[in-house]
Amino acid sequence: AVVSTQSGHYGRERKFLETVELQIALKNYDPARDKRFTGTVKLRHVPKKSFKVCIIGDDRHLDEAKSLGYDCKSAEDLKKLNKNKKLVKKLAKGYDAFMASDGLIKQIPRLLGPGLNKAGKFPTSLSHQESMEEKVETVKRTIKFQMKKVLCLSVAVGNVSMEMDELNANIMLAVNFLVSLLKKNWQNVRSLHIKSTMGKPHRIY
């Protein structure tokens, strides 16, 4: 299935690097009654090459972010958005994830309103004792499973340019972690598919 997913994309030239998604259909689960789960797992390899992180930092973190080539914003930059919902939504859309200096993180809702939280992109806390580079790498590799009102989930586990064993390692890790979150483990899994952005889904379970 991994081979089919990767080879399916070679027929046509794409203007972008296709993401490979793991699509999960659940069964024997009632989103209204059963506890909705949420969990994050760190994959072995970064799934999306184009993953963009924005650092919301104090002066020291802003200098560090600039020297490492990361996009960054100060509390003053956020104030300028004036809690405008459209502008906050645009900011959230422009990045895959946010990180904020631990001294600033409590100010985010006051500065921006609930926009980042609604988008599922509330910043990860960053302290001066941590390596910014390592923390960004961890955020890039981390995927989140979140049960909502429907019985289908999908997460990015890789991209079509990855080596097959890298993609396999990510898929295995993601599947096993998801199954560990489910009340009845494999008995709650109806089907698993992998699919590239523009390709056909391939069933793996």
Side-chain angles (χ1 to χ4, degrees), residues 161-189:
S161 75
M162 284 168 82
E163 295 292 332
M164 208 178 351
D165 54 352
E166 291 179 347
L167 196 49
N168 268 331
N170 277 4
I171 291 166
M172 293 297 291
L173 212 95
V175 168
N176 289 329
F177 178 73
L178 169 72
V179 169
S180 76
L181 292 177
L182 299 170
K183 200 164 70 173
K184 295 179 181 167
N185 305 115
W186 282 100
Q187 289 171 21
N188 287 129
V189 181

Side-chain angles (χ1 to χ4, degrees), residues 65-115:
K66 283 169 190 162
S67 70
L68 290 166
Y70 300 137
D71 285 8
C72 55
K73 298 205 178 295
S74 66
E76 284 304 312
D77 294 329
L78 301 188
K79 267 183 202 162
K80 286 174 193 163
L81 300 179
N82 218 3
K83 283 192 189 171
N84 179 314
K85 281 182 186 171
K86 273 188 181 168
L87 294 177
V88 175
K89 200 173 179 181
K90 190 180 172 187
L91 173 71
K93 223 173 170 183
Y95 296 95
D96 294 285
F98 292 84
M99 286 166 72
S101 302
D102 49 9
L104 281 177
I105 206 148
K106 286 181 180 160
Q107 297 177 38
I108 307 277
R110 195 163 50 83
L111 292 167
L112 292 177

Side-chain angles (χ1 to χ4, degrees), residues 2-41:
V2 173
V3 176
S4 308
T5 302
Q6 287 183 311
S7 58
H9 108 105
Y10 290 120
R12 276 162 264 146
E13 196 57 44
R14 308 281 183 216
K15 293 276 195 299
F16 63 95
L17 185 62
E18 290 181 65
T19 300
V20 175
E21 277 190 348
L22 172 67
Q23 299 178 332
I24 306 107
L26 302 177
K27 63 180 181 182
N28 306 330
Y29 218 95
D30 181 352
R33 288 215 332 265
D34 290 323
K35 189 169 177 272
R36 290 191 200 171
F37 58 81
T38 178
T40 56
V41 62

Side-chain angles (χ1 to χ4, degrees), residues 55-73:
I55 311 291
I56 298 167
D58 54 25
D59 291 346
R60 197 168 138 196
H61 273 146
L62 290 176
D63 288 342
E64 195 181 343
K66 283 169 190 162
S67 70
L68 290 166
Y70 300 137
D71 285 8
C72 55
K73 298 205 178 295

